[in-house]
Amino acid sequence: CDWSSDVCSSDLDSTFILSTTDLEIGIETHCQAEVVEAGAITIPVKPFTELLSSLPIERITLETTETSLRVT
């Protein structure tokens, strides 16, 4: 299965939603989050999942600008 090169992440209220598709099958997961400002961004799947896998599970912060995503 060759997943799309993009994952769309969006948030609303206190839920963070990650979704991806290979145009036949879609996957979506909802995570509890502290959302400061609701929004959406499309990012490459492979580097994003590799980065998330390398971070400690306790807390991950995502910050966006018009042209970038910062993950800490």
Side-chain angles (χ1 to χ4, degrees), residues 5-64:
S5 61
D6 296 323
V7 61
C8 180
S9 41
S10 60
D11 51 18
L12 47 106
D13 299 327
S14 61
T15 303
F16 183 71
I17 304 166
L18 295 172
S19 59
T20 189
T21 182
D22 70 353
L23 302 180
E24 289 184 28
I25 298 172
I27 296 174
E28 181 174 284
T29 186
H30 296 236
C31 307
Q32 184 177 359
E34 178 183 325
V35 178
V36 175
E37 184 177 333
I41 188 169
T42 301
I43 51 180
V45 168
K46 189 169 182 169
F48 185 64
T49 55
E50 288 173 355
L51 176 64
L52 290 182
S53 296
S54 71
L55 295 174
I57 292 178
E58 297 87 37
R59 181 181 184 127
I60 297 172
T61 303
L62 304 175
E63 298 176 65
T64 60

